[in-house]
Amino acid sequence: MDRHDLVVRAERALTPDGERPITVGVREGRVTDVLDGADAPLTGDRELRAAADEVLLPGLVDSHVHVNEPGRTEWEGFASATRAAALGGVTTLVDMPLNSVPPTTTVAGLDAKRAAADGALAVDVGFWGGAVPENSRSDATGELTALWTRGVFGFKAFLSPSGVDEFGHLSAGELTTAAEAIAAFDGLLIVHAEDPDVLAAAPVAAGRDYAAFLASRPDEAETRAIALVIETARRTGVRAHILHLSSAAALPLIARAREEGVRLTVETCPHYLTLAAETVPAGATGYKCCPPIRDEGNRDLLWRALRDGLVDCVVSDHSPSTPDLKDLDTGDFGTAWGGISGLQVGLPAVWTEARRRGVPLTEVVGWMSSAPARVAGVPDKGAIVPGADADLVLFAPEEEVRVDARDLAHRNPVSAYDGATLTGRVRRTLLRGVEVTATSTTGRMIRRP
């Protein structure tokens, strides 16, 4: 019988066939065997047995992370972000094309990203490209093709201001031009969908009252923008993906588009599933994000949509900044940077709420591993199956964890989950069969196949 580099045994493991006891054989960083039972006859140079209170999971895939390096490395960098990812059970992330300088909207920008990441990664990292006005004119879309050829996983566009000057938002016409170009090579267009006219007409956010901020980003901003994305996808045939859905008011639009055969996928985020507008304290700008955290009834509908398959996956939208940009001293929701730092705590946060609702861990992990891998097109990730990378996580689903933002590994100690008590702890994370430690730099830069 062939000997393995590593054999992992677990009485509880999450596989595509559900939860069951298994023995996993690993050779040269890949899963070679998945056998029934925790004592199946495999031999290896190393053995790892999950503790009685642990569940073996596939490494999570987070396809929505803002690393910000180069250019805004004081906000977040590859070393700190990938370390936080590993501590949260995330073994693969896909980096957003902003808020770095330069943004990943040109081949030169992609090269700068890869140079910054080289030698700094604790987990595997891929890259999104960006669709901006400069490369979404009919005479300039060759840059999109060039980025696709260089292995980006798709193209992010904003329909309203992004918050940084170097990453402009698309008009309806530019969206169509970009979609036509991306459809020509069957790429993926991922969209921050908020309508700029609705936002401009809404009350201006100011002060410490969260309700005032929420009023400045109404549901209609999302529903109108999502309707535009759907119509654009219908006309051009492009594969389209809605980023960070916060408003359940858009779910009927999404359902109809799916029924009509529009190629549309949708993500939501842990903060929309676990937090609620009613409980955001005055001046707590750590909760500010765009689109915003909405009310409890909206949250319930997002959970239902996930369980019904209308929303595909759950990813972090980890969007950190320095503490001063969050205006923690004034608590002004109008001026604070909008972004939630949740990369490390996404799994326990979602699992805590899922457990309360009677949702099994198998569903949660599917939404956070195999589903984002499928939507983004990340190969060999998100499942414990022969041929996949041996990205494995030992998770204690009953252990309570009190979050202290100062102890989180991302660069700046700001988190909407600071002080929360969550259920579930990631105890060990393995990347291609090797445990990730505080000094690991074995992560690889991955490309679209």
Side-chain angles (χ1 to χ4, degrees), residues 243-306:
L243 297 165
H244 46 48
L245 179 72
S246 87
S247 175
L251 292 171
L253 293 171
I254 294 164
R256 285 196 296 273
R258 293 268 184 87
E259 290 168 0
E260 295 168 3
V262 176
R263 298 202 292 172
L264 183 72
T265 52
V266 182
E267 71 184 37
T268 192
C269 304
H271 39 280
Y272 301 132
L273 299 171
T274 64
L275 306 174
E278 295 91 334
T279 59
V280 176
T285 53
Y287 291 79
K288 179 179 176 179
C289 57
C290 300
I293 296 162
R294 302 191 188 275
D295 62 35
E296 292 178 0
N298 181 88
R299 182 178 64 183
D300 291 342
L301 292 172
L302 290 178
W303 274 98
R304 184 184 303 172
L306 265 170

